[in-house]
Structure formats: structure tokens, C-alpha cells
Amino acid sequence: MKIFKDKHILQKEILKTKGTSFVPTMGGLHKGHISLIKQSKKSKFKTLVSIFVNPKQFNKKSDFRSYPRNTKKDIKLLKKLKIDYLYIPTFKDIYGFRPKNKVFLDKSSKKLCGKFRKGHFKGVLDVVNRFIEIIKPKYIYLGKKDYQQLYLIKKHIEKQKIKSKVIECKTIRENNGIACSSRNFNLNKNQMKIASNIYNYLSNLKKKIKKNYNLFKIDKIKKDLISLGANKIDYLENYNIKSFKKIKKPNQKFNLFFAYYIKKTRLIDNI
């Protein structure tokens, strides 16, 4: 595994290859990241992982500061996984140039997380756009847990006719059902149990509303989530996965999208 901190040196190295499969991360690596990396390694291209906690996608400085970081542990794990390249850029390396492509922000960026985290998706797409320009990957591997983010990145790539292809990967879950996330490191055992109970409640609810959509009563569901231990609920909505629009007919294929807080930790998922 070769480690790079300078984009110019990284680009010289990449030029020698047929191309790269890219797994962008903010560190705090977990089973979800490992699954993305293993998928990437199955491709015919070299696997490149980045670790960069992007300050521009945090709408609270306190959230940025408290984001789990353990680069030494991450490097050790990536060496075991035998990836080809690790890119750990500085802020200047990423933001010290003007990208050729403008960021395309689809109108769906105003929904769900976009309502509650102003500027978040603009920050995400800005950094992804810059990474794409530096690396020019053949494939980008993204998980479905952050489905709205994945959808917006795909829309940006399509709109700007970028040649990189997004590979959607299934959400990896802990044994207790909750989606693997770096933010889980901020939860204690009791809080993990609360998150698990919320997941199980919503998972069972989805099965019920598939049979009887009238059971989808948001106010009652939110009260139930609070009683299970959630401190605050940002949203709870049903969206058609393909069109990424609220469902109008009960028989449409949909996912239940939700975001809530346990103390100061914000968790998002879709099932």
C-alpha cells in the first residue's frame, strides 16, 4: 500500500495504471467501508481509498470537531486489506485549485437531510467533484445508507457527463440491525441498544405499512420513537427509490427514510 499526501505525486503514480476504483471515506473505518473496499478490489482496476474529514459538509463546527478520527487504526486496517493506494490530503491539497466542472445540485438536495443541514450537500458534492478531478476514477463505490448523497452524486456525474461510474453497494449492518456508521463510535452500549430498538421498530413498521398504508401515521410513529429513546427526530418519510420522490400510491416500491438524534449523535438510515 502506497500512502500519498500530495495530489501531484499521486497523479504521477496513477498515470502508470489502467485506472482506479475509488472509495472515498472520512476515516473512522468500519464494516461498511470494508465491504466497499472488498467490492472495489474485485474490479480490474487499482483500489484507491481516501481519508479526508471535509469541513465544508458540516453545518456545525462542534459536529466537525467531534467526528470520530483514528488515522493510525485506519491505516493499519487498510494495510491488512492490501489496498493499492491511500490518499490523505491536506485542506489546501483539495481546496487549493478551481475545478473544471461546476457542482450540479439537483433540486432533491432540498429534501430530507437537505432541510435540516443547510449547505451539507453542496459541501459533499464540492469535495467529491474535486476528488474526481484529481483522481479521475473509473469507478466510485458508495453505500446505500447515505442514499440521498449517493443519488445526488450520481445526478452530478450524469449532468456534467463525467466518465466515472458510481457503483451502489448495499448497506452493511451491525448484528443488532443498525447501519454501520463512523458516528456509532460516539454511542455507548445503552445508546446502541436504543438505536437497535428504533431500527427494529421501523423495520417492522415498514412490513406493516406495505400491507396497510393507513398505518403510516407520522405523529404516532414519532411519539413511539421518542418513547424508545430518541431525543429528536429530523424526518421520517417514505420515498420511491428510483424517482426519489414521496410515494403517492401505497403499492409503489418505497424505502422508509429517517434521521434522528440520540443525545448529540445524529443517525440516518433507510430501510
Side-chain angles (χ1 to χ4, degrees):
M1 180 180 86
K2 293 182 179 179
I3 301 174
F4 298 87
K5 294 186 178 180
D6 182 286
K7 63 175 175 278
H8 301 295
I9 300 169
L10 173 67
Q11 286 167 329
K12 279 181 188 175
E13 178 70 28
I14 290 171
L15 280 172
K16 301 173 193 173
T17 72
K18 290 177 183 176
T20 58
S21 287
F22 178 41
V23 183
T25 85
M26 293 206 296
L29 302 183
H30 51 67
K31 286 191 287 186
H33 294 118
I34 292 167
S35 176
L36 294 175
I37 289 162
K38 285 181 175 176
Q39 287 289 322
S40 171
K41 286 188 73 182
K42 288 177 186 174
S43 81
K44 60 185 176 182
F45 304 111
K46 300 275 189 184
T47 292
L48 189 159
V49 175
S50 67
I51 295 176
F52 180 65
V53 184
N54 176 33
K56 295 206 174 187
Q57 69 188 68
F58 290 85
N59 49 340
K60 289 180 184 174
K61 285 182 181 178
S62 58
D63 198 16
F64 172 67
R65 285 195 296 268
S66 67
Y67 193 85
R69 294 167 173 86
N70 198 332
T71 309
K72 278 186 182 177
K73 190 178 173 185
D74 291 342
I75 290 171
K76 198 175 175 183
L77 175 61
L78 293 170
K79 279 181 179 173
K80 274 188 185 176
L81 290 167
K82 295 181 179 177
I83 67 160
D84 299 288
Y85 308 125
L86 171 60
Y87 180 33
I88 312 175
T90 60
F91 180 87
K92 191 180 177 184
D93 216 36
I94 294 295
Y95 287 105
F97 70 99
R98 182 179 286 181
K100 289 173 188 172
N101 283 317
K102 279 187 176 180
V103 168
F104 170 71
L105 205 55
D106 186 76
K107 61 183 178 182
S108 58
S109 64
K110 292 176 183 176
K111 302 173 181 179
L112 304 176
C113 280
K115 277 185 190 175
F116 295 89
R117 301 184 71 189
K118 286 182 181 177
H120 169 68
F121 287 123
K122 190 178 179 185
V124 169
L125 288 166
D126 189 6
V127 79
V128 169
N129 188 44
R130 289 166 183 275
F131 270 118
I132 289 171
E133 205 146 302
I134 292 165
I135 298 162
K136 295 181 173 62
K138 300 289 184 184
Y139 298 139
I140 304 172
Y141 289 78
L142 299 169
K144 290 183 182 179
K145 179 185 82 75
D146 299 302
Y147 192 85
Q148 188 175 14
Q149 175 176 293
L150 183 154
Y151 183 85
L152 291 168
I153 290 169
K154 280 182 76 175
K155 285 287 179 187
H156 166 71
I157 285 171
E158 285 167 19
K159 181 76 175 176
Q160 302 298 13
K161 297 182 172 63
I162 294 167
K163 290 178 181 177
S164 303
K165 185 184 177 185
V166 171
I167 309 294
E168 297 182 20
C169 301
K170 68 175 184 178
T171 301
I172 304 299
R173 299 187 177 278
E174 304 287 0
N175 294 333
N176 63 6
I178 71 171
C180 292
S181 168
S182 302
R183 292 176 189 273
N184 293 351
F185 294 123
N186 290 335
L187 302 176
N188 61 33
K189 276 187 181 180
N190 183 51
Q191 290 167 336
M192 283 289 275
K193 179 69 177 164
I194 291 168
S196 176
N197 289 341
I198 286 171
Y199 168 76
N200 289 324
Y201 169 86
L202 291 172
S203 187
N204 289 328
L205 175 72
K206 188 187 174 183
K207 288 172 191 171
K208 288 174 185 174
I209 60 179
K210 266 185 171 180
K211 293 175 184 175
N212 181 4
Y213 197 73
N214 292 328
L215 292 171
F216 188 61
K217 294 176 179 175
I218 291 178
D219 289 342
K220 184 195 179 299
I221 298 163
K222 283 183 176 179
K223 279 180 186 175
D224 289 347
L225 296 184
I226 296 292
S227 68
L228 285 170
N231 295 99
K232 181 186 168 190
I233 294 134
D234 274 356
Y235 60 80
L236 177 78
E237 296 186 37
N238 284 330
Y239 271 74
N240 179 302
I241 281 287
K242 286 185 179 177
S243 67
F244 205 64
K245 289 178 181 175
K246 271 191 185 182
I247 68 162
K248 290 179 181 176
K249 295 176 184 175
N251 60 352
Q252 280 184 298
K253 279 192 176 180
F254 68 88
N255 266 19
L256 190 59
F257 286 79
F258 51 96
Y260 66 95
Y261 284 83
I262 297 178
K263 298 295 182 188
K264 291 181 179 178
T265 302
R266 187 178 190 268
L267 300 173
I268 70 165
D269 200 352
N270 67 91
I271 48 181

